[in-house]
């Protein structure tokens, strides 16, 4: 009788071990997706996408742009140097001279508008012409050819033109996107240097 009981106990242990092996209950299974009551495996929740920017872009009267300070006092603008084009309700005009701390070098003249109702490329062209008139560019020398510039994270279109007969001199840069258009004058500069600084300034002037 004792032998029979021992045999039955041994068979029971073997059966339990077999069930555990078939069911796959192992410690290394911890952390795997669990099965729902319907038998479907639940997948980990996907990350929530970042909220996308909404609403039109605007210009801000930044006290510092691209590492340059907006000049005050004797260096501040006293009027609007370039005709910005037709200004309608809701539009904002931003102007200013920006210079290096300590007043080193010629300041950068900036002028831009937001909430532009028409094609912003056309408004940028208007600002380009106004800036060339401001520096008294001789039309008989032709119209300087605009060169594309990498616009950076804000996108849109950025162009710079060299209003000089040498490789450096007056450079006018402008941007245009869905809502805004702006230009800036860089004296005694090159296309490459002016374009880089203009994109950096834009990051502080547009929101």
């Amino acid at each position: 009788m004792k032998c029979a009981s021992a045999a039955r106990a041994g068979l029971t242990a073997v059966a339990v071990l077999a069930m555990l092996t078939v069911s796959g209950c192992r410690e290394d299974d911890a952390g795997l997706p669990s099965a729902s009551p319907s038998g479907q495996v639940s997948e980990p929740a996907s990350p929530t996408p970042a909220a996308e920017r909404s609403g039109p872009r605007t210009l801000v009267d930044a006290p510092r742009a691209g590492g340059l300070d907006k000049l005050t006092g004797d260096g501040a603008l006293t009027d609007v140097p370039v005709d910005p084009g037709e200004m309608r309700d809701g539009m904002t005009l931003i102007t200013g001279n920006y210079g290096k701390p300590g007043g080193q070098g010629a300041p950068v003249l900036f002028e831009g508008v937001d909430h532009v109702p028409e094609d912003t490329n056309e408004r940028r062209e208007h600002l380009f012409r106004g800036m060339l008139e401001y520096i008294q560019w001789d039309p008989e020398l032709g119209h300087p050819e605009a060169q594309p510039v990498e616009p950076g994270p804000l996108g849109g279109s950025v162009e710079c033109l060299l209003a000089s007969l040498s490789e450096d001199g007056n450079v006018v840069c402008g941007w245009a996107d869905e809502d805004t258009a702006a230009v800036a004058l860089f004296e005694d500069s090159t296309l490459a240097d002016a374009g880089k600084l203009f994109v950096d300034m834009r990051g502080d002037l547009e929101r």
Side-chain angles (χ1 to χ4, degrees):
M1 293 295 292
K2 291 182 178 179
C3 291
S5 299
R8 284 195 298 269
L11 291 173
T12 301
V14 172
V16 171
L17 180 60
M19 291 177 62
L20 290 174
T21 303
V22 171
S23 62
C25 293
R26 299 186 303 272
E27 291 182 0
D28 59 356
D29 283 342
L32 292 177
S34 60
S36 65
S38 63
Q40 295 179 344
V41 175
S42 59
E43 296 293 338
S46 58
T48 303
E52 294 184 359
R53 177 186 178 85
S54 61
R57 290 180 177 174
T58 59
L59 299 184
V60 295
D61 191 11
R64 189 172 177 82
L68 304 180
D69 294 325
K70 185 171 184 180
L71 302 184
T72 58
D74 294 339
L77 289 178
T78 57
D79 58 5
V80 179
V82 175
D83 175 18
E86 183 180 0
M87 295 294 296
R88 303 181 185 179
D89 291 342
M91 295 180 65
T92 304
L93 170 65
I94 299 293
T95 62
N97 275 332
Y98 286 85
K100 296 179 180 179
Q104 301 176 357
V108 175
L109 169 61
F110 174 83
E111 184 166 329
V113 290
D114 62 16
H115 296 88
V116 178
E118 79 274 10
D119 184 349
T120 55
N121 288 293
E122 294 180 2
R123 183 61 67 106
R124 177 178 58 182
E125 287 301 318
H126 180 92
L127 292 168
F128 267 146
R129 290 193 297 270
M131 193 67 81
L132 289 175
E133 292 176 2
Y134 172 77
I135 64 175
Q136 299 180 347
W137 174 255
D138 187 351
E140 293 186 359
L141 297 176
H143 191 285
E145 183 178 354
Q147 303 293 328
V149 174
E150 174 59 42
L154 291 175
S157 169
V158 177
E159 296 179 348
C160 291
L161 54 86
L162 176 63
S164 172
L165 297 180
S166 61
E167 294 183 356
D168 58 6
N170 290 325
V171 178
V172 181
C173 293
W175 86 63
D177 55 32
E178 187 174 352
D179 305 293
T180 71
V183 293
L185 171 64
F186 302 84
E187 298 183 29
D188 301 321
S189 186
T190 64
L191 284 170
D193 291 343
K196 183 180 183 304
L197 179 54
F198 185 61
V199 171
D200 290 343
M201 292 179 68
R202 183 187 179 196
D204 296 313
L205 290 161
E206 183 177 8
R207 292 288 182 269

